[in-house]
Amino acid sequence: MELFHQPITIFSSVFILLIFLIFFLHNYSNFKFHQPPLINYRFPSISDQFRALHFPQNSPPVISLRKVAKTRLSREQKLELGLAQARASIRKAASDSNLSTTVDYVPSFSVYHNPRAFYQSYVEMERRFKVYVYPEGELPITHDGPCKNIYTIEGRFIHEMEDGGNGFRTVDPSGAHVMFMPFSVAWMVKYLYKDGSYDQTPLRMFVSDYVRVVSLKYPFWNKTNGADHFILACHDWGPIATEGNPFLYNTSIRVLCNANSSEGFNPQKDVSLPEIHLYDGDISPKLLSPPPHQQHRRHLAFFAGGLHGPIRPIILNHWKNRTDTNILVYEYLPKELDYYDQMLQSRFCLCPSGYEVASPRIVEAIYAECVPVIISERYVLPFSDVLRWEGFSIQVSVSEIPRLKEILMGVSEEKYVKLLEGLRTVRKHFVLNRPAKRFDAFHMILHSVWLRRLNVKLA
């Protein structure tokens, strides 16, 4: 009798699993996939959710894990099911007419593409997202990084990911959504690069060796060709270092300050990292609480910086030493002037790219409530999946530099006040806290990684 009933039991299990798979695939069908397949994986356009807001009006109900528990899903299938639930929840929130305000999040359509979708996605991240940090590698190049000066964010993220009590790290790799490779490109340059040689081969070799070690020791890299792995680098040579492995460069999630779309940065899978320059590891006391705005902004615009890259010489050529314009542009700031004081006394702060697209002036301007004037080419701005940069900054093309005064004077007082309100709203997203706090820079970076994993369907 047992042999007689066994095929029926197997058939029932297979039938239940088939029903689940049909429902699961139907849940995926509501998302639009613009991107052609990369290797074996599909990366749908993130802009569908947070910029164009192409959410279906009739979303399927959220799947319950309890209802499918009898199908005996694998750990990996349960992870994917959880992501499907998160997608359905975000779709529902995106079309909801109610806006919920919390103590640390005030929804604003002026600075968020869809504040409801972002908030729900953030909550789903807090609820579900798990990161496994590979233990391989030795100090100082791995598990460490600079925590002050221009590459502050490298070390601060690595330390928070490894040691912070943020709840995202898991010691069980089979229960992780993504794998983090905690090496610091800034420390590679410091310890492996021979000064003056311009030979970047040691950086590529280190990355190649690291990927080889984790791919031989663990099954996760080979299972996805690195699609659910990420690295973080703020050094200009971050993209170059990732060339050490073609799958890391083309398939993995690269979190980079040097987010230049003309040099291989792919916003569908890569993450733009804000460059945060903290000289001693903390925000300058002058920028902690900017003074009342209407009392101190006597300059139209301000910039100070040397000849670095192709854009700054154009700015200096047109505006340096032209005090009659109320646009203060210096190649070298006079000793009697303080850099942050000038920002705090200006309505707009010019933020041109240097040799690379990112500029720490953008975050400094946000701290100073000095509206950033971003002058760059092919720069994918940080957190732009979520943030509407036009709600708190001005973007000027290189060809418009001679018209800077005309453009800035053309900003009405009403629009200027709205830009200031936008700056105050987004400021918390660019602050590095110790320990990390909700919606701060650490969490926004992780949320950007979460979005890319959320939109990756592993084959």
Side-chain angles (χ1 to χ4, degrees):
M1 293 295 293
E2 291 179 0
L3 291 175
F4 179 78
H5 286 291
Q6 186 175 6
I8 297 176
T9 304
I10 295 173
F11 176 80
S12 300
S13 299
V14 171
F15 181 76
I16 293 171
L17 183 57
L18 181 60
I19 293 297
F20 162 72
L21 289 175
I22 292 172
F23 192 25
F24 184 73
L25 291 172
H26 174 71
N27 194 36
Y28 263 96
S29 66
N30 287 303
F31 276 83
K32 300 180 180 180
F33 292 85
H34 300 269
Q35 188 90 347
L38 286 175
I39 319 290
N40 296 324
Y41 310 97
R42 295 189 298 171
F43 292 78
S45 173
I46 294 167
S47 62
D48 280 356
Q49 292 188 40
F50 291 93
R51 278 183 299 234
L53 305 179
H54 292 161
F55 290 81
Q57 295 299 316
N58 299 317
S59 300
V62 177
I63 305 170
S64 171
L65 279 173
R66 293 179 182 177
K67 292 182 180 179
V68 297
K70 294 182 180 180
T71 59
R72 297 180 182 179
L73 299 178
S74 68
R75 193 88 178 256
E76 183 177 345
Q77 287 172 321
K78 288 182 178 180
L79 285 176
E80 292 301 314
L81 177 60
L83 295 179
Q85 289 179 307
R87 294 186 191 98
S89 176
I90 295 167
R91 283 197 299 269
K92 184 176 182 300
S95 57
D96 193 346
S97 59
N98 295 321
L99 283 174
S100 58
T101 300
T102 65
V103 174
D104 47 11
Y105 177 70
V106 178
S108 168
F109 280 99
S110 65
V111 298
Y112 300 106
H113 293 295
N114 187 316
R116 295 180 295 251
F118 167 53
Y119 182 76
Q120 188 61 37
S121 176
Y122 188 92
V123 170
E124 293 290 342
M125 175 190 75
E126 289 182 316
R127 177 186 175 191
R128 305 175 186 276
F129 200 34
K130 294 299 177 184
V131 180
Y132 181 72
V133 181
Y134 280 117
E136 275 62 39
E138 298 179 356
L139 293 171
I141 295 177
T142 57
H143 311 289
D144 191 21
C147 291
K148 58 183 180 180
N149 292 324
I150 197 165
Y151 304 126
T152 297
I153 204 161
E154 273 196 30
R156 291 285 287 272
F157 183 89
I158 292 172
H159 288 201
E160 180 64 35
M161 195 68 257
E162 294 208 350
D163 306 321
N166 50 70
F168 294 104
R169 184 179 180 183
T170 178
V171 296
D172 178 11
S174 66
H177 296 89
V178 293
M179 314 290 172
F180 177 46
M181 294 179 283
F183 50 71
S184 167
V185 175
W187 276 179
M188 284 185 211
V189 175
K190 180 177 180 179
Y191 294 105
L192 300 180
Y193 173 68
K194 185 178 179 180
D195 193 31
S197 68
Y198 299 100
D199 182 9
Q200 299 147 346
T201 303
L203 281 67
R204 296 188 186 94
M205 289 181 62
F206 181 92
V207 171
S208 176
D209 289 343
Y210 195 92
V211 172
R212 179 179 55 81
V213 168
V214 298
S215 65
L216 291 175
K217 187 172 181 179
Y218 302 87
F220 310 106
W221 176 274
N222 295 323
K223 186 180 294 185
T224 68
N225 283 330
D228 53 358
H229 287 58
F230 78 98
I231 62 97
L232 180 142
C234 195
H235 195 281
D236 292 350
W237 288 354
I240 293 170
T242 63
E243 292 175 357
N245 182 279
F247 290 107
L248 175 60
Y249 189 91
N250 293 306
T251 308
S252 298
I253 302 168
R254 300 181 305 156
V255 185
L256 305 170
C257 283
N258 190 7
N260 189 335
S261 62
S262 67
E263 296 180 359
F265 182 89
N266 178 3
Q268 296 299 318
K269 72 172 190 67
D270 297 329
V271 171
S272 179
L273 184 65
E275 191 169 300
I276 303 176
H277 190 179
L278 302 180
Y279 289 91
D280 58 1
D282 295 304
I283 298 175
S284 168
K286 292 185 177 183
L287 301 182
L288 287 176
S289 298
H293 204 274
Q294 64 275 14
Q295 300 176 14
H296 298 275
R297 307 288 165 155
R298 53 196 180 92
H299 304 309
L300 177 62
F302 166 72
F303 170 77
L307 292 173
H308 187 72
I311 298 177
R312 294 187 193 179
I314 301 174
I315 294 175
L316 291 169
N317 179 57
H318 281 279
W319 300 105
K320 180 181 176 182
N321 297 328
R322 290 184 59 182
T323 54
D324 60 309
T325 64
N326 204 22
I327 295 180
L328 306 183
V329 171
Y330 303 94
E331 183 175 357
Y332 300 103
L333 192 66
K335 292 183 179 180
E336 66 272 14
L337 298 180
D338 180 83
Y339 183 78
Y340 291 142
D341 283 343
Q342 297 305 302
M343 281 189 146
L344 292 166
Q345 294 171 14
S346 302
R347 291 166 65 89
F348 298 94
C349 286
L350 307 185
C351 304
S353 294
Y355 283 112
E356 305 300 342
V357 290
S359 170
R361 287 171 176 78
I362 295 176
V363 174
E364 291 172 336
I366 292 173
Y367 291 167
E369 295 182 6
C370 179
V371 176
V373 180
I374 301 169
I375 310 173
S376 185
E377 292 181 330
R378 310 302 294 274
Y379 181 27
V380 179
L381 291 163
F383 314 142
S384 52
D385 304 313
V386 170
L387 299 181
R388 295 180 65 254
W389 278 81
E390 61 269 30
F392 55 95
S393 69
I394 301 290
Q395 296 189 46
V396 174
S397 67
V398 175
S399 63
E400 292 176 312
I401 289 175
R403 297 179 51 242
L404 268 175
K405 183 174 182 179
E406 176 189 345
I407 293 170
L408 299 182
M409 291 293 290
V411 176
S412 68
E413 192 64 24
E414 180 183 4
K415 180 178 180 181
Y416 181 69
V417 170
K418 289 182 178 179
L419 291 171
L420 288 180
E421 292 173 353
L423 282 179
R424 292 168 186 145
T425 299
V426 303
R427 176 190 171 99
K428 61 179 171 290
H429 298 322
F430 294 88
V431 173
L432 284 167
N433 295 298
R434 284 186 288 196
K437 297 179 181 179
R438 292 188 86 208
F439 296 104
D440 69 0
F442 169 78
H443 286 89
M444 290 297 288
I445 295 164
L446 209 57
H447 182 259
S448 295
V449 176
W450 155 255
L451 284 182
R452 279 136 184 89
R453 179 60 182 90
L454 184 70
N455 285 318
V456 173
K457 183 180 183 301
L458 303 181

